[in-house]
Amino acid sequence: MYISSVTRVSWNGILSSSFNIVNAVRQGGIVSPVLFCVYLDGLLQQLYNAGVGCFIGKVFVGALAYTDNVALLAPTPTAMRKMLKICEEYGNEFSVIFNASKSVWMYVTKRGRPPSGNIQFHVDGKSISFVTRHMHLGHLISSNMNDVKNCLRPPNNDAIIV
């Protein structure tokens, strides 16, 4: 179903010429999340083998992937930079684009603020924005480990509460 796929774009009632779809998985396709994870399995293995992400006991939880989302969890800025470098190298080899403008980072702590100093992260040479709250796969994640705003959020409201 993915071989020789073509599409057209409709804009204001005008259809473009047909063109080949050469990458990506179908939005809303029932097998798309599975295909995405199969495609990224090599990346997930490399991140695991690096040994620098987060672990719960001996279970690696440093890279969580679903649909077209990848969440990296690292205990230190140095570990995160190493993981981002692995992602960049994998992306260059397998034509995967990690979009810095759609990426954010947060420092999760009971104190609710990052450590002192100027911490910055980049992917493909572009800066990743720092946030204290972020909507991820329908859940509001807060840097202070408090889920009150997520629990009190009205249903079907994906707005980030600032």
Side-chain angles (χ1 to χ4, degrees):
M1 76 188 214
Y2 282 90
I3 298 172
S4 302
S5 294
V6 295
T7 193
R8 296 169 68 174
V9 175
S10 174
W11 185 265
N12 278 337
I14 300 171
L15 287 174
S16 73
S17 301
S18 298
F19 56 93
N20 293 327
I21 301 173
V22 295
N23 60 11
V25 293
R26 293 177 189 227
Q27 288 289 342
I30 196 162
V31 297
S32 295
V34 174
L35 292 175
F36 173 78
C37 288
V38 167
Y39 188 69
L40 283 191
D41 189 59
L43 171 63
L44 301 175
Q45 285 297 317
Q46 287 181 27
L47 291 166
Y48 168 76
N49 291 337
V52 295
C54 288
F55 288 80
I56 297 176
K58 293 184 179 184
V59 178
F60 179 65
V61 294
L64 309 173
Y66 183 73
T67 60
D68 62 351
N69 290 284
V70 177
L72 300 178
L73 306 168
T76 66
T78 301
M80 181 57 74
R81 287 186 187 94
K82 184 171 184 177
M83 294 175 78
L84 287 168
K85 183 173 172 44
I86 291 168
C87 289
E88 286 177 345
E89 290 169 355
Y90 188 89
N92 289 335
E93 184 175 353
F94 295 102
S95 300
V96 175
I97 297 171
F98 294 94
N99 190 338
S101 67
K102 291 185 177 181
S103 302
V104 297
W105 75 272
M106 95 174 42
Y107 183 83
V108 179
T109 177
K110 288 183 179 180
R111 291 177 284 148
R113 57 180 171 23
S116 59
N118 187 17
I119 299 174
Q120 293 184 342
F121 296 104
H122 299 85
V123 64
D124 291 329
K126 296 181 181 139
S127 183
I128 300 173
S129 298
F130 171 76
V131 297
T132 57
R133 289 186 209 123
H134 180 67
M135 186 67 65
H136 180 71
L137 297 176
H139 297 280
L140 183 63
I141 301 169
S142 178
S143 64
N144 66 0
M145 295 195 216
N146 184 326
D147 64 354
V148 170
K149 290 202 186 265
N150 189 50
C151 293
L152 296 177
R153 187 171 49 88
N156 300 321
N157 181 357
D158 284 346
I160 296 176
I161 303 163
V162 181

